[in-house]
Amino acid sequence: MKIRIKDIADRAGVSTGTIDRVIHGREEVSPGTRSRVLSILKEMRYEPDILASSLASRRPFRIAVLIPFHTPENWFWKDPMNGINNACSELNHFRIEVKEFLYDQFDKNGFLEKSVELLESFPDAVIAAPVFNHETREFFDRCHEQSIPFISMNDNIRHPEQVAYVGQDPRQSGAVAAQLMKTGTNGQGKILVISIARDMDNYNHILNREKGFREYWEKLNGSAVPEIITRAIPKDTYNYIKRTIGGMFEEFSDIRGIFVTNSRVYQVARFLHNTEQKNIMLVGYDLINPNIKYLNNDTIDYLISQKPHEQGYKALMTIFNALRLNKKPTPELLIPIDIICKENLCCYQV
Amino acid sequence: MKIRIKDIADRAGVSTGTIDRVIHGREEVSPGTRSRVLSILKEMRYEPDILASSLASRRPFRIAVLIPFHTPENWFWKDPMNGINNACSELNHFRIEVKEFLYDQFDKNGFLEKSVELLESFPDAVIAAPVFNHETREFFDRCHEQSIPFISMNDNIRHPEQVAYVGQDPRQSGAVAAQLMKTGTNGQGKILVISIARDMDNYNHILNREKGFREYWEKLNGSAVPEIITRAIPKDTYNYIKRTIGGMFEEFSDIRGIFVTNSRVYQVARFLHNTEQKNIMLVGYDLINPNIKYLNNDTIDYLISQKPHEQGYKALMTIFNALRLNKKPTPELLIPIDIICKENLCCYQV
DNA sequence: AAAATTTCCGTGTGCGCACACGAAATTACA
DNA sequence: TGTAATTTCGTGTGCGCACACGGAAATTTT
C-alpha cells in the first residue's frame, strides 16, 4: 500500500542506499541513475514516513527564531514566543529544537548582530518578525543564499522566497472596529481615532488600521456617517495623553466614540474612567492586562485580539508542516480578527 | 537522556519483553516482577516513544464516531465530521483510523442500532454527540464496561468517566448576544427573543442561551433595560414564521432588536428584508450559507459561531493526545464564542 | 600493465518499540 | 522420581529510514 524506499530501490534496480542518497541530494550517485531514481520517485509518488525518518535520524530539526525580546515593561513579544514554544513541545516527538535569537526592538545594531549569529548556526529553518523592514529584507536574502527556508510573522514584507506569512490583516481589523462603532453610535456624532505610539513602533499596522476604519465609512452609502477626527500621540505617558484627549473634548462637541489603533487603549480608558464619561464607545486592540481591567469595568467596550500566541504557534506548525511533511501552506495565513467583550473574554485567555 | 524500555529492563534485571508485557498489561508476568517493574516505570518516569511505538505496531488506533448524519437539508453535522476527518489526516502518520457510525438525529432506534454496531467493532476510543440524552448516557455506561474511553461533543452530559467534553457554553453565548444588543440598542425599546425549533432539537442549548441573554440584563444595574419578549416557534416554514413575527410587530411597538437563539435566524432576516425594516438589530447563530447571505446584505448584524469544525477537530485531537500521548486534557474544552460580522467573516470561513 | 585514485554503489547496523516464538523455570500430577 | 502441564521469561525479527563503512568498478596515474 505505502511506498517505501525499498520499493523504489527494487523498481530502479539499485539498493536502498542509493535511493537514500538521491532523496537527500548527496553526492556519490552517477547522473544517470540519479535522474532515473528521481523520475521513479515522482512516478510512484514516494512520500517518506516521517515516523521512521525522525526515529532514525540522530540530528534534530533545528529552528531559529529571530524576534524582539520582552521585558516587564514590554510584554508584546512574550506571547508569540510562548506560542512557538508550545508548538515545539507538541512536536517534540519529532526531535525539534527551537533556538531563540532575541534582540532589542529599538536597537537596529542588536538586530544585525543577532541575525549574523543566527546564520552562523546554520539552522534548518527560520521564523522572523520584521521589525526593521529594510534590514529584515536583507536578512531574508541572506537566508535564501544559504538556502535556509524562512517564515515571517506579525508584519508582512512579502519576500518572494518566504514559506509563508502569519499575521493579521490590519486594514480589515480597522473595518471591524468601524463596524462595532457603527453598531454603538449608529453613525451619529463624532469619532476620534487615536494612535499612541512612540518611536513609530508598528507604524505600518497603525496606518493600515486607520485606513481600514475610514474606508468602512466611505463604502457606506445611505446611512449616517460620523465625523472622524484623527490624532497621533507620540508619547505614552498618562499626563500627556490626558492633556491631548482632554483638549480634544474641549475642542469638539458631541464625541460619541474613540478608536485607539493599538494596545495603548487603556490610557484612554483611564482618562474616560477618571473623568466619568460613561457614554463614549471605546474600541482598541490586544488582550493585555490593563486593557482587560477596563474591559471588565465597562470602560472599554470591545477589544480586537491579534492572537499573538496563535501567531507563534501557527508559524512553527506551518514551517514544520511545509518542511518535514511536504505540505505546502497558503502563502498568507491570516489570523482571525476576534472581537472580544467582557462576556466572551474568558474563552480567549490562555 | 530519554528513558527507554531497555533502561527499565536493565534496572529491573529482566528483559525488554517482560517490560513490554507489563506496559501493555498482558498476562505471563509474575505478580512480583510486575509490581517491581511498575514501580520502576513510575520512578524513572518512563514515557513511551510514540514514534517508535507507532512504527512498530501493525494495528492502527481505531476511533469510532457516533453522531447524526447530515443531509442536503440538514448540514448541521457536516462540519464536525469534517473537523474530525481533518484532524485524522493530520495524524495519519500515527496510523489512526476513523470509523463513522452515523444515525438519523430524529430516530432514537437508529441511534440504538448504530451504538450496538459500534460497540461490537471494539474501537480504541469513541467520539459521540449526545442527541438523545438518556440513551447516550446508557451508551457511555456500556463503553465504560468495555473499558473504551469516550469523549462527548456539542452537548455536555457530564459522564463521570468521560475523557472530556468539547463544546460551547450556551449560557455565556447568550450573554454575548445580549452585550451586542446593548451596544446596538443602548437598552432602549423592546427586544424579541425567538426560538425556532421543531422537535425540540438542541432544546437545552436554546433554553440556556435565552437564560444567559436574560441574566445579562438582570445583572446590569443603573443602565436602561429593554423589555424582553420571548416566543417559541415550533415550525420552521417561512409562512408560519412570517405570520408569527408579523403578529408580534403589530402587537408590540418600538421593537429595536431580535435575538434568534439558533441557526434559523435567516428566516427572520428574510422577513425583515422583505418588509424593509432596516433599523432592527438582528443577532443569531451559526455561519451557514443562508445566514451569511443576510449578514452580507446587512440584515443580520452579528452571528455567533459555534465553530462546529473546530469542535470535531479538537475532539479527535484531545482524545488522541489523552490516549496516545498520555496528556490529560482539561475536562471541559470550551470553544471560544466568536462574534462574526460582515467585516471579519472571511477569516472564519474554512 | 600495474598501481593509485576516484567514482559509484551495496551492506549492515541502529533508532525504540511490538510481538511471535520458544526456552527455562516452576508447578502439577502420576 | 519422573513426566507433563503450566507459568514465566528471554531472544529475535521487523517497522521504514539514516548513515557509516567498505568493496567493486571505472578512471587516472605511474
Side-chain angles (χ1 to χ4, degrees), chain B residues 16-31:
Chain B
T16 61
T18 303
I19 309 296
D20 181 67
R21 279 183 281 269
V22 172
I23 288 176
H24 293 86
R26 262 180 282 140
E27 293 307 309
E28 308 182 358
V29 182
S30 72

Side-chain angles (χ1 to χ4, degrees), chain A residues 49-51 54-55 93-95 172 175-176 179-180 183-184 216 302 325 336-339 343-344 347-348, chain B residues 49-51 54-55 93-95 172 175-176 179-180 183-184 216 302 325 336-339 341 343-344 347-348:
Chain A
D49 182 326
I50 210 224
L51 291 191
S54 303
L55 183 63
H93 317 280
F94 297 104
R95 317 215 189 294
Q172 201 61 34
V176 171
Q179 158 68 18
L180 289 167
T183 302
Y216 172 90
Y302 295 94
L325 309 183
I337 302 168
D338 283 341
I339 299 172
E343 283 68 28
N344 68 358
C347 333
Y348 292 96
Chain B
D49 181 327
I50 210 223
L51 291 192
S54 302
L55 184 64
H93 317 282
F94 297 104
R95 318 214 191 294
Q172 201 62 33
V176 170
Q179 157 69 19
L180 289 166
T183 301
Y216 172 90
Y302 295 94
L325 310 183
I337 302 167
D338 283 342
I339 300 171
C341 55
E343 284 68 28
N344 67 358
C347 335
Y348 292 97

Side-chain angles (χ1 to χ4, degrees), chain B residues 144-155:
Chain B
H144 182 49
E145 279 168 24
Q146 294 192 19
S147 60
I148 301 171
F150 55 92
I151 191 169
S152 70
M153 60 183 283
N154 196 263
D155 206 342

Side-chain angles (χ1 to χ4, degrees), chain B residues 177-196:
Chain B
Q179 157 69 19
L180 289 166
M181 233 15 136
K182 170 144 189 298
T183 301
T185 68
N186 206 16
Q188 309 292 319
K190 300 189 184 69
I191 292 177
L192 306 185
V193 177
I194 308 285
S195 299
I196 304 171

Side-chain angles (χ1 to χ4, degrees), chain A residues 67 77 80 84 127-130 151-155 165-167 308 311-312 315:
Chain A
I67 62 174
W77 292 99
I84 291 173
I127 299 175
I151 191 169
S152 71
M153 60 182 284
N154 194 264
D155 207 341
Y165 157 67
V166 178
Q311 287 195 29

